[in-house]
Amino acid sequence: MKKVIGLLVSAFLVVGLMSTSAFADAAKGQKYYLKYMKDGSGMNGAKFATQHTQAEWKALFDGKAEKFVAEYSKKYPGLDAFLKGDKFEKFMPDIRDFCIEFASDSGNVPSC
Amino acid sequence: MKKIIAPLLLGAALSSAFAADDSLKQEVEALKAQMAELKSAQAKLNVDALRAQVSEIKAHDAGDNVKFNVDFRTAYDAVSYKLNNAPDQDNGIWTNKLILGMAAQPADNLVFQGKLGVYKTFGQNNMDQTSMFQAFDWYGTNKPGDDSIKLREAYFIYSDDMGDVHYAVSFGRRPSLDGFMTDLRADNDAPASPVGHNISMEFDGASFKFDFDKVTGISGLYFKICLGRGYSNTTGSYSMNSSGGFSPAYVEDSANPNMDLAGLLVQLYDNGQYKVMANYFKAWNMMDINAMTSNFSTGQIFFGDVGDMTGGSLSVQVNGIGDGLSDFLDDSIFFLSYAFNKTDPKGTHFIPDGMGGGAMGTEMLGSSSKETGSSVYTGLQLPGIAKGQRLGLEYNHGSKYWRSYTYGEDTLAGSKLATRGDAYEIYYKLPIVGKNLTAQLSYVYMNYDYTGSNTFFGWTGTPMDPSTVPGAVKSASDIRASLRYKY
């Protein structure tokens, strides 16, 4: 059994070296939404994400999400400071993935 | 002759050139007319309307089906036990765990969620011959067994608003495994319904949730009433009676009690970074093996009602330590939880003395008094060496009379959160192909101060010093290496 464990641990380390870097995370995006955007928008994340289709969110978040920032700063003035701040730039890929994950045409069902 | 031919050829060439020019002009004119028509038609098109129509069709089609997902894990578990006055035991077990999820939302306020599960050891096994409790549906899809497909979750949620209070009503088999805090070690995107510290097992029931965040202004505040049945007292169809005839189907079977639970789950606060949750419950008719009616040699086991139990917990999770202190702390998670349970023995039942005899008495967890148990559970999840990797560290301690409902915890050497003693865990997970293929290595070590951590609620749960009981497990460990596919 010790040999098997040793082999598996070695394989795990090798896999760790080979693994691809992680990309944006919709679950993290949901948490960032709750922390930084829920109060400003006045709605929960599931409702927020269904405002657009996946293609529309992709277009809004294209580049550095300039279109999203412009539209949503105007639509929800409470989000203005966050959307134009440093934190948004940092968390944007995760928030983008969250919006796409639960877009109106995603077919994903909120678990409530 | 040449003089005549040359002008003739020139004339012919010129006349054909003029004819070609006319034809070209006509074609260009025709093309111009067609382009004008096209321009006119295009001008009449409302592109925005078309785009909206396509979006509507896509949204409809996406919602007009059952959405499936797959969660498949292959794992190797090395379990080992140190026994009192007996040789150590260890084993290596390969398993496959498949959870097939499904969901549908036919209307904005109506959701269905379901999960089927198969969690099996590699190849054939002899578990049915070695365990009388292998078929319990408290952990049917979260403990390895055979290759039969079992129901893990099936429930609908109807939600609406009563003024500023949003409410949700749900009936069915509950999402009650890997709840709040324990979802981190389970590497799930979101926690299931209950607080994982004291409840992590499969059961059927209902829930009624009321959001009070808008009314009170307290971020995330909700109350959820949970009802569940952990054991149904009924006969089956075509069951035989003592005289060899058929009993009426699905009538009450006096041998076993109905076991019920009602609880209140409160999310006191959740702003995305700080989350505070509490629960309080009462469970009726807790059971243990009825040694008078059971036949151990044939494996025919009956249960008896030994009493009621109350319990509760208060838990805090910090998702991102500090605010902008460093990327490392922003991406770190810390949690701390306290839970308790209190027994209420009732009824007179047979209590074996462990030496072939016994006497009638009233007791729970081996005591005729009302006993209180408690547990603390704390943990950290930190960013790993490379992006996307995570390191987890967890610790919990349970007291002499600690009893949790964590029978469904996916630790093969026994539930670590049920430990009457100290339990430690370290795990490391890493993405291989994004979030779709991940690997995890974990080590759980449990050091028992008392026996009975993973048993029922009567005499089998009696806490005893393991160093005084021959063959008792003094410590246990579980090393797991796994690969998991999720989509």
Side-chain angles (χ1 to χ4, degrees):
Chain A
M1 192 173 78
K2 280 179 184 169
K3 275 186 185 174
V4 177
I5 294 169
L7 279 171
L8 288 171
V9 171
S10 308
F12 187 84
L13 294 172
V14 171
V15 164
L17 294 171
M18 288 163 57
S19 64
T20 58
S21 61
F23 38 76
D25 185 337
K28 272 189 184 176
Q30 191 165 13
K31 285 171 190 166
Y32 294 140
Y33 175 83
L34 187 60
K35 187 173 174 182
Y36 299 111
M37 295 174 68
K38 191 189 169 195
D39 287 345
S41 70
M43 68 182 87
N44 67 32
K47 201 170 177 184
F48 182 87
T50 56
Q51 289 183 99
H52 289 288
T53 62
Q54 291 183 317
E56 287 164 354
W57 281 127
K58 280 175 190 167
L60 281 169
F61 278 98
D62 201 25
K64 290 188 175 179
E66 291 90 347
K67 285 180 192 166
F68 175 77
V69 172
E71 183 180 323
Y72 279 81
S73 294
K74 199 176 167 187
K75 206 169 175 180
Y76 302 105
L79 292 177
D80 188 71
F82 171 68
L83 295 180
K84 290 176 179 169
D86 296 341
K87 279 178 184 163
F88 177 71
E89 198 177 323
K90 191 172 156 188
F91 302 141
M92 188 273 280
D94 295 321
I95 294 169
R96 172 188 183 274
D97 268 30
F98 163 66
C99 290
I100 292 168
E101 177 96 7
F102 292 100
S104 61
D105 62 341
S106 67
N108 279 329
V109 179
S111 55
C112 296
Chain B
M1 185 70 177
K2 280 181 184 175
K3 284 180 182 175
I4 298 167
I5 292 169
L8 282 173
L9 283 173
L10 184 64
L14 284 172
S15 62
S16 69
F18 285 128
D21 191 39
D22 283 346
S23 155
L24 200 63
K25 271 185 181 172
Q26 281 171 10
E27 280 180 28
V28 168
E29 288 305 320
L31 279 172
K32 275 183 180 175
Q34 281 179 359
M35 278 185 73
E37 271 179 47
L38 279 172
K39 272 186 180 177
S40 166
Q42 198 177 16
K44 287 175 188 169
L45 281 176
N46 186 338
V47 177
D48 287 341
L50 277 177
R51 192 176 290 145
Q53 201 174 346
V54 170
S55 293
E56 203 175 308
I57 292 164
K58 279 178 72 185
H60 173 268
D61 288 356
D64 192 27
N65 58 52
V66 178
K67 188 97 172 174
F68 288 97
N69 61 71
V70 169
D71 181 353
F72 173 71
R73 185 187 77 190
T74 288
Y76 177 80
D77 279 76
V79 292
S80 70
Y81 304 88
K82 289 197 183 304
L83 308 182
N84 183 40
N85 287 332
D88 295 350
Q89 289 196 24
D90 56 57
N91 195 17
I93 302 150
W94 287 93
T95 58
N96 282 323
K97 182 180 182 183
L98 170 67
I99 306 296
L100 180 64
M102 63 201 85
Q105 188 175 21
D108 285 346
N109 59 348
L110 186 61
V111 163
F112 167 78
Q113 295 274 357
K115 278 181 184 172
L116 301 174
V118 180
Y119 190 4
K120 73 180 297 296
T121 56
F122 273 28
Q124 175 64 293
N125 66 64
N126 61 344
M127 288 177 191
D128 287 343
Q129 283 81 51
T130 60
S131 170
M132 293 171 278
F133 309 108
Q134 187 64 37
F136 255 60
D137 79 346
W138 295 356
Y139 41 77
T141 64
N142 235 29
K143 294 279 186 201
D146 60 20
D147 61 357
S148 57
I149 298 170
K150 290 164 185 156
L151 183 64
R152 183 181 172 97
E153 291 176 15
Y155 60 96
F156 69 84
I157 303 168
Y158 171 80
S159 60
D160 209 339
D161 295 313
M162 286 187 297
D164 282 339
V165 177
H166 181 75
Y167 69 90
V169 177
S170 174
F171 283 83
R173 188 154 175 81
R174 317 306 306 157
S176 48
L177 291 164
D178 304 327
F180 179 48
M181 296 178 291
T182 51
D183 61 309
L184 296 173
R185 67 191 292 271
D187 195 18
N188 289 341
D189 286 340
S193 183
V195 174
H197 187 174
N198 54 358
I199 298 178
S200 188
M201 60 184 278
E202 299 173 48
F203 67 93
D204 305 274
S207 74
F208 306 88
K209 179 171 172 265
F210 302 91
D211 295 339
F212 285 104
D213 51 346
K214 283 185 184 167
V215 177
T216 61
I218 299 170
S219 184
L221 178 68
Y222 73 70
F223 292 80
K224 190 190 253 185
I225 297 162
C226 301
L227 306 172
R229 172 155 287 182
Y231 200 94
S232 285
N233 170 20
T234 185
T235 62
S237 70
Y238 309 114
S239 62
M240 303 298 285
N241 60 32
S242 56
S243 58
F246 287 113
S247 296
Y250 301 105
V251 292
E252 193 173 304
D253 176 9
S254 59
N256 303 304
N258 280 328
M259 199 168 87
D260 294 319
L261 181 142
L264 179 65
L265 182 69
V266 184
Q267 181 169 279
L268 293 159
Y269 187 74
D270 184 10
N271 71 346
Q273 182 174 15
Y274 299 101
K275 184 169 177 171
V276 185
M277 292 205 79
N279 71 9
Y280 183 81
F281 66 82
K282 178 157 185 178
W284 292 268
N285 309 332
M286 311 313 298
M287 63 194 197
D288 208 327
I289 298 166
N290 187 337
M292 292 285 275
T293 54
S294 296
N295 186 337
F296 294 103
S297 60
T298 61
Q300 194 175 20
I301 296 297
F302 296 101
F303 297 97
D305 174 6
V306 297
D308 303 337
M309 195 159 87
T310 51
S313 67
L314 181 64
S315 319
V316 181
Q317 183 171 299
V318 182
N319 203 327
I321 298 168
D323 195 3
L325 297 173
S326 71
D327 285 350
F328 181 85
L329 290 174
D330 277 345
D331 204 14
S332 295
I333 300 169
F334 166 75
F335 65 81
L336 178 64
S337 180
Y338 169 83
F340 77 98
N341 62 284
K342 189 172 184 182
T343 61
D344 185 9
K346 70 176 182 190
T348 302
H349 43 91
F350 185 74
I351 303 162
D353 60 10
M355 289 176 287
M360 298 302 286
T362 300
E363 68 170 32
M364 275 185 84
L365 302 182
S367 170
S368 56
S369 304
K370 292 183 178 183
E371 301 289 355
T372 301
S374 63
S375 168
V376 290
Y377 177 34
T378 187
L380 269 173
Q381 197 189 70
L382 310 167
I385 297 161
K387 196 178 177 188
Q389 299 181 359
R390 306 289 290 175
L391 168 69
L393 301 163
E394 295 192 1
Y395 167 77
N396 57 274
H397 175 85
S399 71
K400 184 178 181 180
Y401 287 103
W402 168 240
R403 163 62 75 248
S404 59
Y405 294 84
T406 51
Y407 299 92
E409 182 189 308
D410 189 5
T411 308
L412 266 54
S415 166
K416 69 164 193 160
L417 284 165
T419 303
R420 292 166 167 176
D422 298 296
Y424 308 84
E425 178 168 12
I426 180 167
Y427 62 83
Y428 196 85
K429 55 188 181 183
L430 49 89
I432 300 170
V433 182
K435 292 192 77 180
N436 299 119
L437 185 64
T438 57
Q440 184 158 330
L441 190 63
S442 69
Y443 173 65
V444 178
Y445 175 74
M446 293 163 279
N447 188 37
Y448 297 103
D449 295 337
Y450 297 95
T451 62
S453 292
N454 287 289
T455 51
F456 291 120
F457 305 91
W459 59 277
T460 60
T462 303
M464 297 170 78
D465 182 348
S467 60
T468 64
V469 183
V473 177
K474 293 172 77 174
S475 66
S477 67
D478 185 345
I479 299 171
R480 174 180 291 162
S482 62
L483 286 170
R484 189 173 177 186
Y485 170 95
K486 278 200 288 186
Y487 184 70

